[in-house]
Amino acid sequence: ETGVTQTPRHLVMGMTNKKSLKCEQHLGHNAMYWYKQSAKKPLELMFVYSLEERVENNSVPSRFSPECPNSSHLFLHLHTLQPEDSALYLCASSQEGAGGPVTGELFFGEGSRLTVL
Amino acid sequence: GENVEQHPSTLSVQEGDSAVIKCTYSDSASNYFPWYKQELGKRPQLIIDIRSNVGEKKDQRIAVTLNKTAKHFSLHITETQPEDSAVYFCAASITGTASKLTFGTGTRLQVTL
């Protein structure tokens, strides 16, 4: 597999469920991101991990919990979500700082479509 | 923080016509301005970008212009084709990297036959 892959592509969950979104990048990048995409809103940055350390939180509710075990994998753990959390969650990666060419380009996955009932 | 506004929200053009999408930003320190295209059900992908040391950049049928004084930048698509139909997002960054991108709300472009 190449690029950025996300699983599952679709997820339906109740407000009391616990689920996780998974992201894997095969590009050798050192930064990974979670974005939320809702209709008629800008792409909202949720979390940034650079060199496996979280560097940005952007005041995301604690019901979203990220995990980055290594530079290739990123998870978003979900618990007690609200219906307004229904959205497309996009993972992305980029090369930041030393260790490779820094172009400023984000490489996105296809996204995980989440529906909270 | 940075605020990016994008207009129009929807745009319909006939095949062969030109399309222009405009964005304004608030932080004069922003120095990197990429454009992403997202086809229906697909991931956003970078199509062109510009840095603050240039005023215009072209790549075949697409071009981006930047006016730092007015703090706005635009995407121009000439000779539009049906495959140009997508949502286009502008963004701005103060660091020149992907880690500090602020996105606009997107423009849905429809190219009709």
Side-chain angles (χ1 to χ4, degrees):
Chain A
E1 290 239 34
T2 58
V4 181
T5 56
Q6 289 185 241
T7 55
R9 294 292 311 278
H10 300 272
L11 178 63
V12 179
M13 59 187 289
M15 289 192 284
T16 57
N17 292 158
K18 288 184 180 181
K19 298 286 184 181
S20 296
L21 306 181
K22 179 183 175 182
C23 177
E24 186 173 357
Q25 61 99 0
H26 307 269
L27 300 168
H29 290 161
N30 59 8
M32 295 187 76
Y33 311 76
W34 281 115
Y35 279 89
K36 177 181 179 182
Q37 186 173 32
S38 305
K40 299 184 180 179
K41 284 188 176 182
L43 284 163
E44 299 172 52
L45 178 62
M46 299 175 73
F47 300 103
V48 179
Y49 276 84
S50 181
L51 298 173
E52 300 156 47
E53 182 178 334
R54 190 162 76 190
V55 296
E56 187 109 12
N57 187 350
N58 282 340
S59 304
V60 177
S62 59
R63 56 186 183 268
F64 295 92
S65 175
E67 179 189 0
C68 187
N70 55 61
S71 60
S72 299
H73 293 85
L74 185 64
F75 295 89
L76 188 62
H77 303 299
L78 317 168
H79 62 98
T80 58
L81 294 190
Q82 305 299 311
E84 59 264 29
D85 296 322
S86 298
L88 181 68
Y89 289 85
L90 288 162
C91 174
S93 71
S94 73
Q95 183 63 33
E96 302 294 313
V102 178
T103 64
E105 182 173 1
L106 278 172
F107 291 80
F108 285 93
E110 298 274 11
S112 294
R113 172 73 59 186
L114 173 67
T115 303
V116 182
L117 301 176
Chain B
E2 175 67 283
N3 181 49
V4 177
E5 295 192 359
Q6 184 172 349
H7 300 280
S9 57
T10 59
L11 179 59
S12 182
V13 300
Q14 284 198 319
E15 184 179 5
D17 288 350
S18 295
V20 180
I21 303 170
K22 298 181 179 182
C23 290
T24 60
Y25 60 98
S26 60
D27 193 333
S28 58
S30 288
N31 57 13
Y32 174 62
F33 308 91
W35 286 87
Y36 283 79
K37 174 184 180 181
Q38 186 176 25
E39 296 177 30
L40 189 63
K42 302 289 186 182
R43 72 190 77 199
Q45 290 187 292
L46 179 71
I47 56 170
I48 194 167
D49 57 14
I50 192 167
R51 296 188 184 271
S52 59
N53 56 342
V54 298
E56 183 176 4
K57 185 176 179 181
K58 286 184 180 180
D59 183 2
Q60 299 182 351
R61 294 186 298 107
I62 60 173
V64 57
T65 58
L66 171 64
N67 183 328
K68 285 222 74 180
T69 303
K71 289 190 283 187
H72 67 71
F73 56 112
S74 301
L75 177 71
H76 304 254
I77 306 174
T78 59
E79 300 172 28
T80 54
Q81 300 168 4
E83 52 264 38
D84 295 329
S85 296
V87 178
Y88 293 82
F89 295 95
C90 64
S93 168
I94 61 171
T95 63
T97 68
S99 63
K100 293 287 185 181
L101 282 174
T102 300
F103 282 88
T105 50
T107 296
R108 182 172 299 280
L109 174 64
Q110 182 69 45
V111 179
T112 58
L113 298 173

